[in-house]
Amino acid sequence: MEEISWQDEDVRKGFAAIAQASPFVYGLTNYIAANLSANVLLAVGAGPAIGAASDWTRTFPAGAGGVWINTAGLMSSIEETFTEVARTARAAGTPWVLDPVAVGAGAAEYDAFVKSLLEFRPAIIRGNASELIALGGGAALGKGVETTASSAEAVDAIAAIARATGAVVAVSGPVDYITDGTTTVAVPGGDARLTQVTGAGCSLGALCAAAAAAGNDPFSAARIAHAAYAAAAERAGARTTGTGSFAVALVDELSLLTA
């Protein structure tokens, strides 16, 4: 299996394309992750808008370069909002990213709704191992939003989801794995504190959307976003000691990668 990293020239070029394009990226996410997600997008040169104000859900998905939907945003928005954004993005040809937060944690009605969004053909699906195993019909139950399975355990499941949906699927962990259903690549690196900062995984979904909005195809966009995020996290971890300073340094390091 091929390994991808920030040292790869195509990753650097694809990442630089985000700042060059300065794309508008629209997202629905939960209020816990919104601040970090917006700051991650700003750090890489994208322009974010988050939320379901007024008629944004009917206009922004069509006008944006990329969209991401974090389904934990249902804590403050109704299901119809998410369906409208996914439907509009699909109809407009806007690449969108699905982050199926907490699927498989035991909330059956929620799980069924999240799976219904697959009808609108996300370009990229990303999540932790338990979420993606459950999304594919497996039985790896998560503990709320946390995984009980390793990313390596989800490799077969994400390949099956990719083949079934046509999406590129990425699972996060100590090693991230990304697949289009035929080819799977590994992205090592990062920092353990990514699991101790609220919204870190959610923000990676936003970064995937930004990479797609810059003209990268979905497989390339997912590879670029994960490799850049891993590099920024490693650099942030090398110069910080606690989780609070790590979160700030992560945004700093993403902006420095852009510079």
Side-chain angles (χ1 to χ4, degrees):
M1 184 184 301
E2 183 184 6
E3 288 192 353
I4 301 297
S5 79
W6 175 249
Q7 301 307 317
D8 295 338
E9 184 178 0
D10 60 335
V11 168
R12 291 172 179 257
K13 287 183 176 179
F15 186 77
I18 302 173
Q20 292 164 2
S22 188
F24 169 41
V25 184
Y26 174 58
L28 295 177
T29 192
N30 62 82
Y31 53 77
I32 298 168
N35 184 68
L36 183 58
S37 296
N39 284 335
V40 162
L41 289 174
L42 290 168
V44 302
I50 298 174
S54 192
D55 60 350
W56 287 12
T57 57
R58 295 191 298 274
T59 55
F60 283 3
V67 169
W68 87 100
I69 294 177
N70 177 314
T71 54
L74 284 166
M75 64 177 65
S76 56
S77 295
I78 60 175
E79 291 181 356
E80 287 76 7
T81 295
F82 287 73
T83 300
E84 185 168 57
V85 169
R87 181 188 298 114
T88 303
R90 170 65 175 166
T94 306
W96 71 277
V97 179
L98 175 63
D99 190 338
V101 177
V103 163
E109 291 183 12
Y110 170 81
D111 288 2
F113 173 72
V114 173
K115 291 178 181 180
S116 76
L117 294 175
L118 296 174
E119 171 189 350
F120 303 106
R121 308 285 288 183
I124 300 170
I125 302 169
R126 70 140 312 274
N128 66 38
S130 287
E131 291 162 350
L132 294 175
I133 291 171
L135 189 68
L141 298 180
K143 294 171 60 178
V145 299
E146 304 300 330
T147 186
T148 59
S150 71
S151 55
E153 291 177 90
V155 169
D156 289 342
I158 65 172
I161 294 170
R163 289 190 292 269
T165 64
V168 170
V169 186
V171 58
S172 298
V175 177
D176 300 342
Y177 297 95
I178 303 163
T179 185
D180 61 3
T182 301
T183 301
T184 301
V185 299
V187 181
D191 189 279
R193 279 169 285 180
L194 286 170
T195 64
Q196 299 172 312
V197 172
T198 56
C202 306
S203 300
L204 180 53
L207 185 56
C208 287
N216 299 293
D217 66 82
F219 197 21
S220 295
R223 297 198 307 268
I224 290 161
H226 282 74
Y229 213 65
E234 284 183 347
R235 296 178 185 193
R239 63 181 179 88
T240 57
T241 55
T243 56
S245 58
F246 172 79
V248 174
L250 175 65
V251 176
D252 283 346
E253 292 297 339
L254 285 168
S255 70
L256 293 172
L257 289 180
T258 302

